[in-house]
Amino acid sequence: MRVNRILLSVPLVVVAMVVQVSVLARLHLPGAVPDLLLLTVLGLAMVYGHVTGALIGFGAGLLADLAPPADHAAGRYALVLCVIGYLAGLAKPENGRLKSATGPMAVVVAAALGSTLLYAGVGALVGDTAARHVGLPSLLFTAALYDLLLAPFIVPGVMALARRADNDPLAETNAAKSADISSGWLSSGTGLKIGGQRGGLRMKTARARVARAGRIKGVKRL
């Protein structure tokens, strides 16, 4: 992972975790709890890709496993968010830009359902049957509903911050990319290459000098 990605991802994950534990978990909503940590991981994964998304998801999940009042085995939610971050990173657009909000919203719904099912499945393997007592269908519906309602306020902002951090002009590679993009934009906007423009200006200057010298010689002959 790049340093700028780490410097952005760590504060976002920590803030999301604090808000989820101190605010969202205390709303006592029916069914599931809005998963702000999941939405943060999704926003970062859809910009950084599947590898970085898996690493961020694992770190965020491990933080959730260790943060109070966690009542499950450590590593359980880390596994869930690692898988979700990896799969969400596969949905990263090729050009880095989203054409519509349909794709991210579908990713949010799929992630909410998938994380709930995977968390319940891992819990069943370790003997945790809490999902059966609450009702898995109710958890799935409320998790998808809450995350879908919260996503428009979280995911676009996280993705915008991630793109801005990933295009840091201080980095050499990003500076080179910016230069290439600027050159391409100028070339496409004028219809001429920058080198051709410079050569044309030089030729015009030389012709002007020759013409001026000819006029001066003509005046002297007179």
Side-chain angles (χ1 to χ4, degrees):
M1 289 179 64
R2 300 176 183 176
V3 176
N4 53 353
R5 293 184 177 184
I6 298 176
L7 293 178
L8 175 67
S9 301
V10 171
L12 287 179
V13 168
V14 172
V15 170
M17 184 64 201
V18 171
V19 174
Q20 182 168 334
V21 172
S22 60
V23 178
L24 298 180
R26 297 184 179 183
L27 295 178
H28 301 292
L29 297 174
V33 176
D35 201 338
L36 183 60
L37 196 61
L38 173 65
L39 297 179
T40 303
V41 171
L42 291 179
L44 294 172
M46 285 190 287
V47 175
Y48 293 152
H50 57 284
V51 176
T52 306
L55 294 175
I56 294 174
F58 179 81
L62 188 60
L63 178 63
D65 290 331
L66 299 177
D71 57 351
H72 55 269
R76 181 176 171 183
Y77 202 51
L79 174 62
V80 172
L81 286 188
C82 181
V83 174
I84 296 299
Y86 180 86
L87 295 178
L90 296 177
K92 175 186 176 182
E94 295 181 358
N95 58 356
R97 294 183 179 181
L98 299 172
K99 296 181 179 179
S100 65
T102 304
M105 293 299 103
V107 172
V108 169
V109 174
L113 297 176
S115 62
T116 304
L117 288 173
L118 186 58
Y119 185 82
V122 175
L125 293 177
V126 297
D128 185 1
T129 59
R132 297 180 182 178
H133 300 289
V134 177
L136 187 58
S138 175
L139 285 177
L140 291 173
F141 175 76
T142 53
L145 178 62
Y146 296 154
D147 291 347
L148 189 60
L149 293 176
L150 191 61
F153 304 99
I154 305 300
V155 177
V158 172
M159 294 180 69
L161 290 174
R163 289 196 185 99
R164 181 173 297 180
D166 210 31
N167 295 326
D168 190 352
L170 297 178
E172 294 181 359
T173 55
N174 291 327
K177 290 180 181 180
S178 300
D180 293 340
I181 293 173
S182 301
S183 300
W185 180 78
L186 289 173
S187 300
S188 60
T190 57
L192 298 173
K193 294 183 178 180
I194 296 177
Q197 290 178 340
R198 293 177 179 176
L201 291 175
R202 291 177 181 175
M203 290 296 296
K204 289 181 180 180
T205 304
R207 290 176 182 176
R209 290 178 180 176
V210 172
R212 183 178 180 183
R215 289 195 297 269
I216 292 174
K217 290 180 179 180
V219 171
K220 288 183 179 181
R221 288 176 183 178
L222 292 175

Short mmCIF file of all heavy atoms in Angstrom, two decimals, residues 10 13 30 33 51 53 77 114 157 207:
data_model
loop_
_atom_site.label_atom_id
_atom_site.label_comp_id
_atom_site.label_asym_id
_atom_site.label_seq_id
_atom_site.Cartn_x
_atom_site.Cartn_y
_atom_site.Cartn_z
N VAL A 10 -6.49 4.87 7.47
CA VAL A 10 -6.48 4.67 8.92
C VAL A 10 -7.40 5.66 9.64
O VAL A 10 -8.25 5.24 10.45
CB VAL A 10 -5.04 4.74 9.47
CG1 VAL A 10 -5.04 4.75 10.99
CG2 VAL A 10 -4.22 3.57 8.95
N VAL A 13 -11.15 4.80 8.83
CA VAL A 13 -11.61 3.59 9.50
C VAL A 13 -11.82 3.83 11.00
O VAL A 13 -12.81 3.40 11.58
CB VAL A 13 -10.61 2.44 9.26
CG1 VAL A 13 -10.91 1.26 10.18
CG2 VAL A 13 -10.65 1.99 7.81
N PRO A 30 -34.59 -1.50 15.06
CA PRO A 30 -34.98 -2.90 14.94
C PRO A 30 -34.11 -3.65 13.94
O PRO A 30 -33.76 -3.12 12.88
CB PRO A 30 -36.44 -2.81 14.44
CG PRO A 30 -36.55 -1.46 13.82
CD PRO A 30 -35.63 -0.57 14.59
N VAL A 33 -27.69 -3.25 12.77
CA VAL A 33 -27.15 -1.91 13.04
C VAL A 33 -26.53 -1.38 11.76
O VAL A 33 -25.85 -2.13 11.04
CB VAL A 33 -26.09 -1.96 14.15
CG1 VAL A 33 -25.47 -0.59 14.37
CG2 VAL A 33 -26.70 -2.49 15.44
N VAL A 51 -6.86 -5.80 -4.02
CA VAL A 51 -5.79 -6.14 -3.07
C VAL A 51 -5.79 -5.18 -1.89
O VAL A 51 -5.81 -5.59 -0.72
CB VAL A 51 -4.42 -6.13 -3.77
CG1 VAL A 51 -3.30 -6.38 -2.76
CG2 VAL A 51 -4.37 -7.18 -4.88
N GLY A 53 -8.21 -3.24 -1.07
CA GLY A 53 -9.51 -3.37 -0.41
C GLY A 53 -9.52 -4.50 0.59
O GLY A 53 -10.10 -4.38 1.68
N TYR A 77 -14.89 -10.83 12.31
CA TYR A 77 -15.30 -9.75 11.41
C TYR A 77 -14.16 -9.33 10.49
O TYR A 77 -14.39 -8.80 9.41
CB TYR A 77 -15.80 -8.55 12.22
CG TYR A 77 -16.71 -7.63 11.44
CD1 TYR A 77 -17.79 -8.13 10.74
CD2 TYR A 77 -16.50 -6.26 11.41
CE1 TYR A 77 -18.62 -7.30 10.02
CE2 TYR A 77 -17.32 -5.41 10.69
CZ TYR A 77 -18.38 -5.95 10.00
OH TYR A 77 -19.21 -5.12 9.28
N GLY A 114 -24.11 -10.02 1.88
CA GLY A 114 -23.02 -10.97 1.95
C GLY A 114 -22.31 -10.95 3.29
O GLY A 114 -21.95 -12.00 3.83
N GLY A 157 -18.44 10.35 -0.68
CA GLY A 157 -17.44 11.18 -0.03
C GLY A 157 -16.14 10.43 0.20
O GLY A 157 -15.05 10.98 -0.01
N ARG A 207 10.37 33.43 -40.58
CA ARG A 207 9.84 34.06 -41.79
C ARG A 207 9.63 35.55 -41.58
O ARG A 207 9.87 36.37 -42.47
CB ARG A 207 8.52 33.40 -42.17
CG ARG A 207 8.70 31.97 -42.70
CD ARG A 207 7.36 31.33 -42.96
NE ARG A 207 7.52 29.96 -43.41
CZ ARG A 207 6.49 29.13 -43.64
NH1 ARG A 207 5.23 29.56 -43.45
NH2 ARG A 207 6.73 27.91 -44.05
#
